Amino acid sequence: CFCSATIRCKCRSRLVLCLDYHNGYYFHWLDHYQDLLFIGRNILSQLSTCYIGIMSLAGLKKQFNKANQYMSEKIGGAKGTELDDEFVEMERRIDVLGKLVDDLINKTHEFLQPNPASRAKMSTRNALSKMRGQEQKILYQQPEGTLGDYMIRHGTDLGEDSTFGGCLIEAGESFKHLAEIKYNLEDNVKQNFLDPLNQLQTKDLREVNHHRKKLSGRRLDFDCKKRKKDKGSTITEEELRVAEDKFEESKNLAENAMHNVLENEVEYISQLQAFIEAEVDYHRQALNTLQSLLDGLEQKRNEAASKPRTEHIPKRVSSFRRSESPNSYDGPSDAFDNDTGKSGSYNFNNIQAPSYHQSGFDPYDDQDPFGSYAVPDTKKKPMARALYDFIPENEGELGFQEGDYVDLVSQVDENWFEGTFNGQAGFFPINYVEVINPL
């Protein structure tokens, strides 16, 4: 026995427990609580609501009785009142239905929006917008719409004269229309399938489980009083009868609630039917869109095949007007030399001798006739020369072509370098380059 104790529950709110055998048992709540510590049995019993005020002696005794009976059944092997088989079967079906609803909601969201990273990003942005009071709804980025945007962009780049470019633009518009159809599917499924499931999960099943939890507590209280009376305790017949009546009342409420939920299968089937109808409508519209696109592409292909092929004769290099060559002469000579009467000639008397940065380099070596114009100064900083073309496939990678010189920044691991090229930084494979100046 003790006079008082200060206890902290999971929510870290403080309560003071005062035990007084003359005036009864009282709980003074300073904040709110979620857990009640049963001192005698050292048990935490979850409470579904928060109370402010004073718990009476009867309520405290009921909590102790429930804890006593629970420990007696789990440890002492005491037998509790067994419910009928029909009730137990209804409880099993309710548990299955609850798990079914949880999985259906989660997996339907994954089905409609398969990219988990995009779902998380969209959810975060929507939450931030809601916190700021903007209520700006961020839509999930459909892959059909992204593909359509790129088709339209590159089809436009090919120009109006390109038949293939026109086909790409037409295909891009069709894929963007598929994305709009997908958004309509999401709205339809959410309204006619997911929202009713959420209603079932958050209201109907929650109410059923509330009655079941209350029934379990009253059953423990009744069994404890019955066991104590059988052992000759001071439990009166009136107390036992009241406990039994409450137990019976809770059983009826829980059984009726479970029956109403389980017998509502017509509505559940209608919701599933609405989901399937939305899917059929989506696929029908998608089929019509793609079939129209396919017919249009077939027509354009036939038109392109019917056009006569034009013969192309490449022009000779000597027919081009020569442009200025940097670092080879002081200034451009006239396109037509008045002294010689020849077109496009250079004034070789003004050519500057190139400066070669590599020591021992022979400017007349046949292996590298361009000298320092092709090889940059590699003595000052870490550098590597590209052995092959590297095309970036992921964000953060650095692309280059064979023969390019890349400045080295660091070695990420045994397979990747970090470097810069043409003002851009990124990562590239080590085996694609030859290190000239190591890090």
Side-chain angles (χ1 to χ4, degrees):
C1 299
F2 23 71
C3 297
S4 65
T6 300
I7 306 164
R8 288 191 181 274
C9 53
K10 289 182 181 178
C11 65
R12 297 186 180 274
S13 60
R14 192 160 73 97
L15 67 93
V16 177
L17 172 64
C18 299
L19 304 182
D20 188 334
Y21 286 95
H22 298 285
N23 299 322
Y25 299 84
Y26 298 95
F27 283 109
H28 302 279
W29 312 107
L30 299 184
D31 293 313
H32 68 281
Y33 73 94
Q34 292 175 328
D35 303 314
L36 175 65
L37 179 62
F38 295 103
I39 303 299
R41 298 287 186 175
N42 193 24
I43 302 171
L44 289 174
S45 176
Q46 295 291 335
L47 298 181
S48 60
T49 57
C50 297
Y51 297 96
I52 299 176
I54 299 176
M55 180 181 289
S56 64
L57 175 61
L60 182 62
K61 283 184 176 181
K62 183 177 179 181
Q63 298 298 329
F64 274 99
N65 287 338
K66 288 161 59 177
N68 189 328
Q69 181 65 23
Y70 180 81
M71 296 301 296
S72 298
E73 292 180 4
K74 294 298 181 181
I75 299 177
K79 295 292 184 181
T81 302
E82 295 183 356
L83 301 173
D84 55 273
D85 294 340
E86 182 180 0
F87 186 90
V88 174
E89 175 62 19
M90 292 175 68
E91 284 192 312
R92 185 194 68 81
R93 292 176 61 189
I94 285 292
D95 292 336
V96 172
L97 183 61
K99 185 66 169 61
L100 178 150
V101 170
D102 292 342
D103 289 341
L104 272 184
I105 292 176
N106 294 331
K107 298 306 177 182
T108 303
H109 280 298
E110 294 179 8
F111 170 74
L112 295 175
Q113 301 172 353
N115 191 331
S118 297
R119 288 201 310 271
K121 182 179 179 181
M122 180 184 65
S123 177
T124 302
R125 294 178 64 183
N126 285 330
L128 291 176
S129 299
K130 188 174 181 180
M131 291 173 58
R132 295 168 183 167
Q134 297 175 352
E135 294 294 338
Q136 180 181 2
K137 184 174 179 58
I138 308 299
L139 296 178
Y140 178 83
Q141 189 173 10
Q142 301 293 350
E144 294 89 348
T146 303
L147 177 60
D149 289 336
Y150 278 94
M151 284 183 170
I152 294 174
R153 180 188 307 174
H154 294 300
T156 304
D157 292 341
L158 287 176
E160 297 179 356
D161 297 336
S162 173
T163 306
F164 176 58
C167 292
L168 276 178
I169 294 175
E170 186 176 345
E173 294 292 345
S174 297
F175 274 92
K176 291 185 69 174
H177 183 59
L178 288 178
E180 293 296 329
I181 299 175
K182 193 70 172 291
Y183 284 128
N184 294 335
L185 169 67
E186 288 185 9
D187 294 338
N188 196 342
V189 172
K190 182 178 183 300
Q191 180 179 357
N192 298 317
F193 185 67
L194 289 177
D195 286 350
L197 286 181
N198 284 320
Q199 178 78 4
L200 175 63
Q201 180 188 52
T202 59
K203 183 179 178 181
D204 298 339
L205 289 176
R206 179 174 294 182
E207 181 181 356
V208 168
N209 290 327
H210 168 73
H211 288 305
R212 290 174 63 188
K213 185 176 181 179
K214 196 169 184 179
L215 170 65
S216 176
R218 288 184 172 180
R219 198 270 303 170
L220 289 173
D221 181 57
F222 168 70
D223 286 342
C224 180
K225 290 179 178 178
K226 183 179 180 182
R227 180 169 53 84
K228 287 182 177 181
K229 183 170 179 57
D230 293 342
K231 291 182 179 181
S233 179
T234 58
I235 301 295
T236 63
E237 290 290 342
E238 179 64 18
E239 290 178 332
L240 187 61
R241 185 186 63 79
V242 170
E244 185 177 8
D245 290 343
K246 290 184 177 180
F247 174 39
E248 186 71 26
E249 177 188 4
S250 294
K251 179 181 180 299
N252 292 335
L253 290 174
E255 190 167 357
N256 290 331
M258 290 190 296
H259 176 77
N260 293 334
V261 171
L262 294 175
E263 289 297 316
N264 206 13
E265 289 191 341
V266 174
E267 184 175 346
Y268 305 150
I269 296 174
S270 300
Q271 296 162 7
L272 180 61
Q273 184 180 4
F275 176 38
I276 302 305
E277 288 177 352
E279 278 292 315
V280 171
D281 185 56
Y282 162 73
H283 287 288
R284 182 184 296 114
Q285 294 184 54
L287 176 61
N288 294 335
T289 300
L290 293 176
Q291 186 62 52
S292 177
L293 172 62
L294 186 61
D295 295 340
L297 293 179
E298 178 67 19
Q299 181 180 357
K300 290 184 179 296
R301 187 184 70 85
N302 294 332
E303 292 177 359
S306 62
K307 292 181 180 180
R309 297 179 63 88
T310 58
E311 183 178 358
H312 177 74
I313 302 177
K315 296 180 180 179
R316 295 178 60 84
V317 176
S318 60
S319 65
F320 297 150
R321 178 185 177 91
R322 289 177 180 158
S323 60
E324 301 175 4
S325 176
N327 298 328
S328 61
Y329 58 95
D330 290 337
S333 63
D334 292 336
F336 185 83
D337 195 324
N338 294 329
D339 296 333
T340 61
K342 295 181 179 180
S343 173
S345 62
Y346 292 104
N347 186 356
F348 290 96
N349 295 327
N350 295 328
I351 295 179
Q352 298 290 333
S355 60
Y356 300 98
H357 300 287
Q358 289 184 318
S359 61
F361 182 82
D362 184 2
Y364 302 103
D365 187 359
D366 294 337
Q367 299 299 323
D368 191 355
F370 298 103
S372 62
Y373 298 112
V375 182
D377 185 2
T378 60
K379 291 184 178 180
K380 297 181 180 179
K381 53 186 175 180
M383 183 176 293
R385 183 173 65 87
L387 299 176
Y388 318 101
D389 294 347
F390 178 62
I391 301 176
E393 296 182 355
N394 300 303
E395 184 178 356
E397 295 180 349
L398 180 65
F400 47 74
Q401 295 182 349
E402 179 183 356
D404 290 337
Y405 286 84
V406 184
D407 295 332
L408 300 180
V409 176
S410 65
Q411 182 172 346
V412 180
D413 53 27
E414 60 182 6
N415 297 318
W416 290 86
F417 272 138
E418 180 182 7
T420 60
F421 175 67
N422 281 347
Q424 296 184 350
F427 305 98
F428 55 91
I430 291 179
N431 56 358
Y432 272 65
V433 298
E434 174 187 9
V435 177
I436 297 177
N437 241 12
L439 291 165

